[in-house]
């Protein structure tokens, strides 16, 4: 298995181009199932999760051609077929459950393995399922699979009990071809939801309010295939800004949407970093005096949970005390133990972490436990003195395109090595 070897201590400097957003591309690829014909998607990141979702739609009869050099994915749908989505695919990536929405809309039937637990808490899909029920589907569980059936989906008013990106996306995809009007309340306002809605609107769907708490959908009978460019990845963008910050360098992210990283930039400014930005770029550089910070993760436009672990790596290098309050997922502190192995002083209690900063991080062999925890270890290793070896990098392969190449271009000493048994 591959691992990263990082010699820390280099200040990162330069520009890095942000790839297409994984979390927007996943539902958009799935939404292509809603129309017969050829969909063409641009700026699709070449990531493990994208290859998994491609396999998922292929189960349902899609023909695909992914040009990984040009990041163009062509998807051809002749007729979608009834098929079950196996546990192997859903367990590697929970977003596989997104096919339920389009399957219900087009086939009146969905048969998808239940995801089960995962490294960052329980992550149930009950809100997705109650939304489908509200649209008229019957839901059952057999042999570990959720089976949803509906002769005809009918418009409804559905209030989500909790803000959920996945449920907003899945229910919206089911409702676009339901009969009549659907009103969704307490929706996720994440840019990924908006990018999907824009794609669906291009296809002929009638959707208003995406990006707000209330989405109104008027069902249409048919959608057409279109060409669409995936928006930039705000979590990747945030990770590179944090890489600049943790090494006290000067990093500019390009091909980005500055508004999407506002919560992070506010926190970085509060710490004392200097943030400059233009239409599609943001630059971070170190200020004269830095201090600790309090960060609470919240649904968009709040501080994203996906940047919590990378942010915590930065906190370990700040003077004084910083605090993290993780309100989205339970059990999202799996990076803490590994950061401690690198010399960090972090206490946790429930969903709070108190970081006693100002300690010099030291290199150590560490292991990724999930995608974003993995990113935090890479950042810590970039700042640490000595040579760190980071294992289980298949986690970061899920969500960071050309991670070592991009960091090397910024001046990091990072190598992807072969071998190592764990
Ligand atoms: C998505 C993102 C993930 C990000 C998360 C929060 C994708 C592919 N993944 O995950 O990177 O960390 O949003 O921004 O886009 N919940 C329920 N029942 C449900 C659904 C969710 O209780 O049916 C809970 C979850 O356990 C969690 C909270 O709602 O506590 C938010 O989860 P959700 O927004 O659904 O996250 P995902 O869509 O899985």
């Amino acid at each position: 298995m591959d691992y990263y070897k990082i010699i820390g201590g280099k200040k990162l400097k330069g520009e890095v181009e942000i790839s297409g957003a994984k979390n927007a591309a996943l539902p958009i690829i799935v939404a292509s199932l809603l129309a017969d014909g050829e969909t063409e998607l641009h700026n699709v990141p070449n990531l493990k999760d994208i290859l998994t979702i491609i396999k998922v739609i292929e189960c349902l009869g899609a023909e695909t051609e992914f040009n990984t050099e040009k990041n163009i994915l062509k998807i051809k749908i002749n007729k979608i077929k009834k098929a079950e989505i196996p546990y192997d695919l859903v367990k590697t990536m929970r977003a596989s459950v997104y096919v339920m929405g389009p399957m219900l809309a087009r086939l009146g039937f969905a048969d998808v393995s239940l995801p089960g637990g995962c490294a960052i808490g329980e992550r149930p899909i009950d809100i997705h399922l109650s939304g489908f029920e509200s649209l008229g589907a019957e839901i059952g569980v057999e042999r570990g699979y959720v089976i949803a059936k509906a002769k005809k989906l009918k418009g409804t008013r559905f209030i989500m009990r909790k803000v959920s990106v996945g449920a907003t996306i899945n229910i919206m995809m089911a409702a676009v071809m339901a009969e009549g009007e659907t009103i969704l309340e307490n929706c996720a306002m994440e840019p990924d939801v908006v990018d999907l809605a824009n794609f669906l609107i291009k296809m002929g769907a009638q959707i208003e309010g995406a990006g707000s708490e209330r989405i109104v959908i008027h069902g249409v009978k048919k959608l057409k295939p279109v060409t669409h460019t995936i928006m930039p990845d705000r979590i990747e963008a945030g990770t590179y800004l944090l890489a600049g910050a943790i090494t006290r360098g000067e990093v500019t992210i390009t091909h980005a949407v500055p508004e999407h990283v506002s919560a992070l930039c506010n926190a970085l400014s509060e710490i004392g970093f200097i943030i400059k930005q233009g239409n599609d770029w943001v630059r971070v550089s170190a200020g004269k005096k830095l201090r600790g910070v309090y960060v609470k993760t919240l649904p968009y436009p709040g501080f994203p949970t996906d940047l919590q672990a990378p942010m915590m790596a930065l906190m370990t290098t700040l003077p004084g005390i910083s605090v993290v309050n993780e309100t989205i997922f339970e059990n999202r502190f799996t990076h803490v133990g590994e950061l401690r192995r690198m010399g960090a002083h972090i206490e946790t209690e429930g969903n709070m972490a108190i970081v006693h900063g100002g300690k010099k991080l030291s290199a150590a062999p560490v292991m990724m436990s999930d995608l974003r925890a993995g990113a935090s270890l890479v950042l810590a290793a970039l700042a640490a003195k000595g040579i760190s070896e980071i294992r289980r990098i298949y986690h970061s392969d899920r969500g960071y395109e050309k991670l070592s190449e991009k960091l090397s271009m910024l001046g990091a000493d990072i190598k992807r090595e072969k071998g190592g048994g764990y």
Side-chain angles (χ1 to χ4, degrees):
M1 263 194 273
D2 291 4
Y3 64 96
Y4 284 133
K5 195 168 180 183
I6 297 178
I7 305 178
K10 303 254 181 329
K11 282 182 196 258
L12 299 199
K13 275 205 163 88
E15 288 187 2
V16 57
E17 196 175 302
I18 299 308
S19 298
K22 167 180 89 71
N23 289 353
L26 291 171
I28 288 173
I29 291 169
V30 171
S32 68
L33 291 167
L34 288 163
D36 288 337
E38 192 170 302
T39 296
E40 188 169 309
L41 301 175
H42 294 216
N43 206 27
V44 177
N46 179 17
L47 299 169
K48 268 259 252 344
D49 275 8
I50 298 294
L51 303 179
T52 306
I53 206 76
I54 290 174
K55 278 195 202 141
V56 171
I57 62 165
E58 283 176 349
C59 289
L60 299 169
E63 287 169 31
T64 65
E65 193 189 310
F66 190 12
N67 182 330
T68 52
E69 290 299 309
K70 293 193 170 147
N71 297 96
I72 295 176
L73 173 64
K74 291 184 183 165
I75 302 167
K76 205 157 142 203
I77 313 285
N78 286 324
K79 192 172 181 290
I80 67 169
K81 59 182 189 207
K82 284 195 176 183
E84 62 171 43
I85 308 300
Y87 183 51
D88 273 357
L89 291 177
V90 184
K91 83 165 190 284
T92 41
M93 190 188 58
R94 284 175 44 84
S96 305
V97 301
Y98 284 165
V99 283
M100 289 193 83
M103 281 178 87
L104 269 175
R106 294 214 64 194
L107 299 167
F109 170 86
D111 186 354
V112 177
S113 168
L114 268 172
C118 82
I120 56 170
E122 232 179 80
R123 298 183 88 178
I125 56 162
D126 60 300
I127 308 170
H128 304 229
L129 301 181
S130 356
F132 297 148
E133 270 177 337
S134 180
L135 284 162
E138 274 175 39
I139 310 283
V141 176
E142 287 170 26
R143 351 154 239 118
Y145 281 66
V146 188
I147 313 227
K149 289 183 193 155
K151 280 215 175 71
K152 179 86 199 117
L153 295 177
K154 289 221 164 73
T156 185
R157 177 163 177 263
F158 180 69
I159 306 170
M160 277 170 252
R161 70 164 174 84
K162 191 171 181 183
V163 177
S164 159
V165 177
T168 305
I169 281 172
N170 221 342
I171 303 166
M172 183 161 79
M173 289 195 287
V176 283
M177 283 164 77
E179 202 176 278
E181 183 184 75
T182 298
I183 300 175
L184 304 178
E185 309 268 15
N186 199 26
C187 295
M189 302 193 284
E190 266 66 1
D192 315 270
V193 173
V194 179
D195 204 19
L196 169 66
N198 288 339
F199 174 68
L200 291 169
I201 291 166
K202 261 194 218 167
M203 292 173 88
Q206 291 190 13
I207 304 171
E208 284 156 39
S212 76
E213 284 163 10
R214 187 170 197 259
I215 300 180
V216 181
I217 301 159
H218 292 271
V220 294
K221 291 220 159 61
K222 213 170 168 206
L223 296 174
K224 60 174 191 300
V226 294
T227 297
H228 183 77
T229 301
I230 307 292
M231 69 168 202
D233 195 309
R234 67 202 162 93
I235 306 302
E236 189 201 19
T239 305
Y240 284 104
L241 288 175
L242 285 163
I246 202 168
T247 59
R248 308 296 190 259
E250 185 179 288
V251 167
T252 306
I253 53 160
T254 64
H255 289 76
V257 182
E259 190 193 333
H260 291 174
V261 285
S262 303
L264 171 69
C265 288
N266 289 344
L268 288 172
S269 303
E270 212 181 310
I271 294 167
F273 287 99
I274 298 160
I275 301 287
K276 292 208 170 110
Q277 62 183 59
N279 276 344
D280 66 349
W281 60 268
V282 182
R283 178 176 307 134
V284 65
S285 54
K288 287 210 172 69
K289 199 166 182 308
L290 303 180
R291 62 193 79 86
V293 72
Y294 169 75
V295 163
K296 179 176 182 175
T297 64
L298 287 169
Y300 189 83
F303 192 94
T305 174
D306 286 350
L307 286 178
Q308 180 259 110
M311 183 63 170
M312 200 185 291
L314 172 66
M315 286 168 163
T316 65
T317 68
L318 301 176
I321 287 182
S322 293
V323 176
V324 168
N325 183 358
E326 170 60 62
T327 75
I328 308 290
F329 292 111
E330 78 269 27
N331 193 19
R332 207 176 192 181
F333 287 148
T334 53
H335 46 288
V336 169
E338 298 299 285
L339 289 175
R340 283 187 190 131
R341 301 191 63 244
M342 300 180 76
H345 180 183
I346 304 168
E347 294 169 80
T348 57
E349 195 169 323
N351 63 348
M352 304 283 285
I354 297 162
V355 183
H356 300 264
K359 304 265 171 314
K360 275 253 170 285
L361 293 174
S362 59
V366 285
M367 253 191 300
M368 295 188 181
S369 54
D370 73 41
L371 170 56
R372 307 302 172 188
S376 85
L377 300 182
V378 170
L379 296 186
L382 290 172
K385 204 171 160 1
I387 305 174
S388 296
E389 285 185 4
I390 306 182
R391 308 270 163 178
R392 302 201 177 166
I393 61 173
Y394 51 84
H395 287 295
S396 55
D397 289 344
R398 291 183 54 187
Y400 290 93
E401 192 180 40
K402 298 187 181 144
L403 180 64
S404 51
E405 287 91 327
K406 287 186 179 185
L407 285 171
S408 299
M409 299 241 293
L410 291 171
D413 194 332
I414 173 169
K415 290 205 172 56
R416 190 178 176 116
E417 305 275 3
K418 297 231 165 289
Y422 61 100

PDB file of all heavy atoms in Angstrom, residues 88-106:
ATOM      1  N   ASP A  88     -20.989  -3.662  -1.211  1.00  0.00           N
ATOM      2  CA  ASP A  88     -19.586  -3.325  -1.448  1.00  0.00           C
ATOM      3  C   ASP A  88     -19.425  -1.870  -1.887  1.00  0.00           C
ATOM      4  O   ASP A  88     -18.476  -1.187  -1.480  1.00  0.00           O
ATOM      5  CB  ASP A  88     -19.011  -4.210  -2.560  1.00  0.00           C
ATOM      6  CG  ASP A  88     -18.491  -5.499  -1.977  1.00  0.00           C
ATOM      7  OD1 ASP A  88     -18.542  -5.626  -0.733  1.00  0.00           O
ATOM      8  OD2 ASP A  88     -18.065  -6.377  -2.754  1.00  0.00           O
ATOM      9  N   LEU A  89     -20.326  -1.420  -2.748  1.00  0.00           N
ATOM     10  CA  LEU A  89     -20.227  -0.036  -3.236  1.00  0.00           C
ATOM     11  C   LEU A  89     -20.703   0.959  -2.185  1.00  0.00           C
ATOM     12  O   LEU A  89     -20.080   1.987  -1.965  1.00  0.00           O
ATOM     13  CB  LEU A  89     -21.045   0.140  -4.523  1.00  0.00           C
ATOM     14  CG  LEU A  89     -20.479  -0.584  -5.748  1.00  0.00           C
ATOM     15  CD1 LEU A  89     -21.396  -0.419  -6.952  1.00  0.00           C
ATOM     16  CD2 LEU A  89     -19.096  -0.043  -6.088  1.00  0.00           C
ATOM     17  N   VAL A  90     -21.820   0.628  -1.503  1.00  0.00           N
ATOM     18  CA  VAL A  90     -22.375   1.583  -0.534  1.00  0.00           C
ATOM     19  C   VAL A  90     -21.464   1.698   0.685  1.00  0.00           C
ATOM     20  O   VAL A  90     -21.284   2.781   1.241  1.00  0.00           O
ATOM     21  CB  VAL A  90     -23.810   1.193  -0.120  1.00  0.00           C
ATOM     22  CG1 VAL A  90     -24.409   2.244   0.799  1.00  0.00           C
ATOM     23  CG2 VAL A  90     -24.690   1.036  -1.353  1.00  0.00           C
ATOM     24  N   LYS A  91     -20.847   0.589   1.077  1.00  0.00           N
ATOM     25  CA  LYS A  91     -19.999   0.668   2.280  1.00  0.00           C
ATOM     26  C   LYS A  91     -18.715   1.465   2.003  1.00  0.00           C
ATOM     27  O   LYS A  91     -18.205   2.119   2.888  1.00  0.00           O
ATOM     28  CB  LYS A  91     -19.732  -0.712   2.862  1.00  0.00           C
ATOM     29  CG  LYS A  91     -18.631  -1.503   2.266  1.00  0.00           C
ATOM     30  CD  LYS A  91     -18.265  -2.670   3.196  1.00  0.00           C
ATOM     31  CE  LYS A  91     -17.021  -3.373   2.785  1.00  0.00           C
ATOM     32  NZ  LYS A  91     -17.011  -4.270   1.698  1.00  0.00           N
ATOM     33  N   THR A  92     -18.213   1.448   0.763  1.00  0.00           N
ATOM     34  CA  THR A  92     -17.024   2.264   0.498  1.00  0.00           C
ATOM     35  C   THR A  92     -17.396   3.737   0.397  1.00  0.00           C
ATOM     36  O   THR A  92     -16.574   4.605   0.640  1.00  0.00           O
ATOM     37  CB  THR A  92     -16.290   1.899  -0.816  1.00  0.00           C
ATOM     38  OG1 THR A  92     -17.261   1.643  -1.811  1.00  0.00           O
ATOM     39  CG2 THR A  92     -15.364   0.754  -0.683  1.00  0.00           C
ATOM     40  N   MET A  93     -18.643   4.006   0.021  1.00  0.00           N
ATOM     41  CA  MET A  93     -19.016   5.412  -0.085  1.00  0.00           C
ATOM     42  C   MET A  93     -20.518   5.593   0.117  1.00  0.00           C
ATOM     43  O   MET A  93     -21.326   5.142  -0.670  1.00  0.00           O
ATOM     44  CB  MET A  93     -18.636   5.943  -1.462  1.00  0.00           C
ATOM     45  CG  MET A  93     -18.792   7.425  -1.522  1.00  0.00           C
ATOM     46  SD  MET A  93     -18.577   8.023  -3.167  1.00  0.00           S
ATOM     47  CE  MET A  93     -19.826   7.120  -4.000  1.00  0.00           C
ATOM     48  N   ARG A  94     -20.853   6.304   1.206  1.00  0.00           N
ATOM     49  CA  ARG A  94     -22.251   6.489   1.561  1.00  0.00           C
ATOM     50  C   ARG A  94     -23.061   7.225   0.501  1.00  0.00           C
ATOM     51  O   ARG A  94     -24.263   7.018   0.372  1.00  0.00           O
ATOM     52  CB  ARG A  94     -22.347   7.291   2.846  1.00  0.00           C
ATOM     53  CG  ARG A  94     -22.037   6.530   4.079  1.00  0.00           C
ATOM     54  CD  ARG A  94     -22.046   7.490   5.234  1.00  0.00           C
ATOM     55  NE  ARG A  94     -23.191   8.393   5.137  1.00  0.00           N
ATOM     56  CZ  ARG A  94     -24.411   8.115   5.563  1.00  0.00           C
ATOM     57  NH1 ARG A  94     -24.653   6.992   6.165  1.00  0.00           N
ATOM     58  NH2 ARG A  94     -25.382   8.973   5.421  1.00  0.00           N
ATOM     59  N   ALA A  95     -22.378   8.117  -0.270  1.00  0.00           N
ATOM     60  CA  ALA A  95     -23.117   8.896  -1.268  1.00  0.00           C
ATOM     61  C   ALA A  95     -23.754   7.988  -2.328  1.00  0.00           C
ATOM     62  O   ALA A  95     -24.582   8.442  -3.121  1.00  0.00           O
ATOM     63  CB  ALA A  95     -22.201   9.926  -1.915  1.00  0.00           C
ATOM     64  N   SER A  96     -23.406   6.691  -2.321  1.00  0.00           N
ATOM     65  CA  SER A  96     -24.060   5.739  -3.245  1.00  0.00           C
ATOM     66  C   SER A  96     -25.573   5.743  -3.042  1.00  0.00           C
ATOM     67  O   SER A  96     -26.317   5.432  -3.969  1.00  0.00           O
ATOM     68  CB  SER A  96     -23.545   4.317  -3.017  1.00  0.00           C
ATOM     69  OG  SER A  96     -22.155   4.293  -3.123  1.00  0.00           O
ATOM     70  N   VAL A  97     -26.033   6.095  -1.838  1.00  0.00           N
ATOM     71  CA  VAL A  97     -27.477   6.092  -1.588  1.00  0.00           C
ATOM     72  C   VAL A  97     -28.194   7.194  -2.381  1.00  0.00           C
ATOM     73  O   VAL A  97     -29.416   7.190  -2.458  1.00  0.00           O
ATOM     74  CB  VAL A  97     -27.868   6.204  -0.083  1.00  0.00           C
ATOM     75  CG1 VAL A  97     -27.284   5.078   0.727  1.00  0.00           C
ATOM     76  CG2 VAL A  97     -27.476   7.550   0.498  1.00  0.00           C
ATOM     77  N   TYR A  98     -27.413   8.106  -2.983  1.00  0.00           N
ATOM     78  CA  TYR A  98     -28.037   9.150  -3.816  1.00  0.00           C
ATOM     79  C   TYR A  98     -28.838   8.565  -4.980  1.00  0.00           C
ATOM     80  O   TYR A  98     -29.702   9.228  -5.520  1.00  0.00           O
ATOM     81  CB  TYR A  98     -26.971  10.078  -4.414  1.00  0.00           C
ATOM     82  CG  TYR A  98     -26.374  11.078  -3.463  1.00  0.00           C
ATOM     83  CD1 TYR A  98     -25.199  11.759  -3.782  1.00  0.00           C
ATOM     84  CD2 TYR A  98     -26.986  11.387  -2.254  1.00  0.00           C
ATOM     85  CE1 TYR A  98     -24.649  12.695  -2.930  1.00  0.00           C
ATOM     86  CE2 TYR A  98     -26.435  12.320  -1.391  1.00  0.00           C
ATOM     87  CZ  TYR A  98     -25.263  12.971  -1.733  1.00  0.00           C
ATOM     88  OH  TYR A  98     -24.707  13.905  -0.891  1.00  0.00           O
ATOM     89  N   VAL A  99     -28.501   7.329  -5.401  1.00  0.00           N
ATOM     90  CA  VAL A  99     -29.247   6.778  -6.548  1.00  0.00           C
ATOM     91  C   VAL A  99     -30.711   6.530  -6.204  1.00  0.00           C
ATOM     92  O   VAL A  99     -31.532   6.372  -7.098  1.00  0.00           O
ATOM     93  CB  VAL A  99     -28.665   5.449  -7.085  1.00  0.00           C
ATOM     94  CG1 VAL A  99     -27.438   5.705  -7.904  1.00  0.00           C
ATOM     95  CG2 VAL A  99     -28.452   4.456  -6.003  1.00  0.00           C
ATOM     96  N   MET A 100     -31.025   6.507  -4.907  1.00  0.00           N
ATOM     97  CA  MET A 100     -32.419   6.212  -4.543  1.00  0.00           C
ATOM     98  C   MET A 100     -33.380   7.239  -5.138  1.00  0.00           C
ATOM     99  O   MET A 100     -34.449   6.884  -5.633  1.00  0.00           O
ATOM    100  CB  MET A 100     -32.594   6.167  -3.029  1.00  0.00           C
ATOM    101  CG  MET A 100     -31.950   4.964  -2.408  1.00  0.00           C
ATOM    102  SD  MET A 100     -32.485   4.743  -0.700  1.00  0.00           S
ATOM    103  CE  MET A 100     -34.023   3.880  -0.929  1.00  0.00           C
ATOM    104  N   GLY A 101     -33.018   8.516  -5.062  1.00  0.00           N
ATOM    105  CA  GLY A 101     -33.895   9.586  -5.560  1.00  0.00           C
ATOM    106  C   GLY A 101     -34.216   9.393  -7.037  1.00  0.00           C
ATOM    107  O   GLY A 101     -35.387   9.205  -7.412  1.00  0.00           O
ATOM    108  N   PRO A 102     -33.195   9.402  -7.908  1.00  0.00           N
ATOM    109  CA  PRO A 102     -33.464   9.209  -9.336  1.00  0.00           C
ATOM    110  C   PRO A 102     -34.108   7.857  -9.664  1.00  0.00           C
ATOM    111  O   PRO A 102     -34.952   7.767 -10.554  1.00  0.00           O
ATOM    112  CB  PRO A 102     -32.077   9.297  -9.977  1.00  0.00           C
ATOM    113  CG  PRO A 102     -31.278  10.093  -9.022  1.00  0.00           C
ATOM    114  CD  PRO A 102     -31.798   9.788  -7.659  1.00  0.00           C
ATOM    115  N   MET A 103     -33.749   6.781  -8.938  1.00  0.00           N
ATOM    116  CA  MET A 103     -34.367   5.465  -9.225  1.00  0.00           C
ATOM    117  C   MET A 103     -35.869   5.523  -8.945  1.00  0.00           C
ATOM    118  O   MET A 103     -36.683   5.030  -9.721  1.00  0.00           O
ATOM    119  CB  MET A 103     -33.735   4.361  -8.357  1.00  0.00           C
ATOM    120  CG  MET A 103     -32.397   3.889  -8.864  1.00  0.00           C
ATOM    121  SD  MET A 103     -31.698   2.633  -7.758  1.00  0.00           S
ATOM    122  CE  MET A 103     -32.431   1.140  -8.409  1.00  0.00           C
ATOM    123  N   LEU A 104     -36.222   6.133  -7.812  1.00  0.00           N
ATOM    124  CA  LEU A 104     -37.652   6.254  -7.480  1.00  0.00           C
ATOM    125  C   LEU A 104     -38.370   7.095  -8.525  1.00  0.00           C
ATOM    126  O   LEU A 104     -39.474   6.758  -8.956  1.00  0.00           O
ATOM    127  CB  LEU A 104     -37.816   6.905  -6.111  1.00  0.00           C
ATOM    128  CG  LEU A 104     -37.872   5.967  -4.922  1.00  0.00           C
ATOM    129  CD1 LEU A 104     -37.913   6.775  -3.635  1.00  0.00           C
ATOM    130  CD2 LEU A 104     -39.105   5.049  -5.003  1.00  0.00           C
ATOM    131  N   ALA A 105     -37.720   8.190  -8.952  1.00  0.00           N
ATOM    132  CA  ALA A 105     -38.348   9.085  -9.924  1.00  0.00           C
ATOM    133  C   ALA A 105     -38.584   8.365 -11.255  1.00  0.00           C
ATOM    134  O   ALA A 105     -39.613   8.523 -11.879  1.00  0.00           O
ATOM    135  CB  ALA A 105     -37.477  10.316 -10.137  1.00  0.00           C
ATOM    136  N   ARG A 106     -37.614   7.557 -11.674  1.00  0.00           N
ATOM    137  CA  ARG A 106     -37.717   6.976 -13.023  1.00  0.00           C
ATOM    138  C   ARG A 106     -38.285   5.576 -13.049  1.00  0.00           C
ATOM    139  O   ARG A 106     -38.929   5.166 -14.003  1.00  0.00           O
ATOM    140  CB  ARG A 106     -36.331   6.975 -13.688  1.00  0.00           C
ATOM    141  CG  ARG A 106     -35.847   8.372 -13.948  1.00  0.00           C
ATOM    142  CD  ARG A 106     -35.033   8.495 -15.183  1.00  0.00           C
ATOM    143  NE  ARG A 106     -35.731   8.208 -16.421  1.00  0.00           N
ATOM    144  CZ  ARG A 106     -35.116   8.014 -17.570  1.00  0.00           C
ATOM    145  NH1 ARG A 106     -33.795   8.048 -17.640  1.00  0.00           N
ATOM    146  NH2 ARG A 106     -35.803   7.771 -18.665  1.00  0.00           N
TER     147      ARG A 106
END
